[in-house]
Amino acid sequence: MLTASLSIRIDLPPHGRIGPGKIELLEMIERTGSISAAGRIMEMSYRRAWNLVDELGQAFDQPVVTSQTGGKHGGGAKLTAFGAELVRCYRRVEQLSTEAAQAELDMLRDHIAAGRKNAAP
Amino acid sequence: MLTASLSIRIDLPPHGRIGPGKIELLEMIERTGSISAAGRIMEMSYRRAWNLVDELGQAFDQPVVTSQTGGKHGGGAKLTAFGAELVRCYRRVEQLSTEAAQAELDMLRDHIAAGRKNAAP
């Protein structure tokens, strides 16, 4: 099944960029309540996951995740209200863009399929 | 001046992906009539430029650029009709997506600015 789909980055000069990886990481933090657990699911180190979260906070100059150290399960993390809003906003941009560009995406998909069928030997 | 802008990739499984770099390369080939000149403008080697063009052709199983060897200026290159259509299509996706997501992009931009103004010392 051939498809053409959009992958969206949002550039936020001077420091920020949001893409599918960071958004998925935030979603996994929300789901697991833990930066390290979210990182494991996405096969990245705690350090890498933490750095991505920190980068996001720096881009906006306000945190997207709050974390606690210690406690029964060695601390935990959750999205701030702004972090949750960022995820919703990104997913909405993705959805709106895909809807707006559907005719073009369909055309590209058809060109892939047609190209394959008419491929030179 | 803070802005939030979209950067679009179009995934074309199983092999293809179009993003701003490849599209700009095609535009430079159209402008200069040469893969190597286009590569120089974009500060990439001829080999890198050629590989990107080849990747695009493979993704669609039809060429996006035609090139000739020899001749007065050592050959030249131009977009095929399909290559030109690909560029137009990508730029249209970019425009439609940005229009569709304008409210979200404005909101993100405002969050950057607000975040900066309210930054903790």
Side-chain angles (χ1 to χ4, degrees), chain A residues 15 17 22 25-26 29 35-36 39 44-59 64-65:
Chain A
H15 300 303
R17 185 172 220 208
K22 284 179 188 154
L25 178 62
L26 292 185
I29 290 169
I35 294 177
S36 59
M44 59 175 76
S45 67
Y46 175 78
R47 183 178 178 76
R48 167 89 179 134
W50 193 91
N51 281 341
L52 289 175
V53 166
D54 187 54
E55 264 179 42
L56 275 172
Q58 297 287 336
V64 294
V65 168

Side-chain angles (χ1 to χ4, degrees), chain A:
Chain A
M1 179 57 193
L2 297 165
T3 59
S5 62
L6 290 184
S7 171
I8 304 276
R9 273 91 183 152
I10 304 173
D11 292 312
L12 305 157
H15 300 303
R17 185 172 220 208
I18 314 173
K22 284 179 188 154
I23 294 298
E24 191 183 345
L25 178 62
L26 292 185
E27 288 171 335
M28 291 299 145
I29 290 169
E30 185 71 358
R31 187 176 304 173
T32 62
S34 154
I35 294 177
S36 59
R40 272 197 300 278
I41 291 172
M42 294 185 67
E43 298 183 337
M44 59 175 76
S45 67
Y46 175 78
R47 183 178 178 76
R48 167 89 179 134
W50 193 91
N51 281 341
L52 289 175
V53 166
D54 187 54
E55 264 179 42
L56 275 172
Q58 297 287 336
F60 290 101
D61 224 346
Q62 71 178 274
V64 294
V65 168
T66 52
S67 55
Q68 311 161 279
T69 52
K72 195 172 177 185
H73 300 291
K78 61 177 191 171
L79 301 192
T80 61
F82 179 69
E85 188 177 355
L86 194 61
V87 170
R88 278 194 303 273
C89 185
Y90 175 87
R91 292 302 183 199
R92 180 103 180 112
V93 168
E94 207 172 43
Q95 181 195 340
L96 290 169
S97 297
T98 300
E99 285 168 9
Q102 197 59 60
E104 281 71 20
L105 294 176
D106 287 347
M107 195 188 69
L108 285 174
R109 185 203 56 207
D110 292 346
H111 274 291
I112 306 176
R116 296 252 147 96
K117 268 181 268 161
N118 301 330

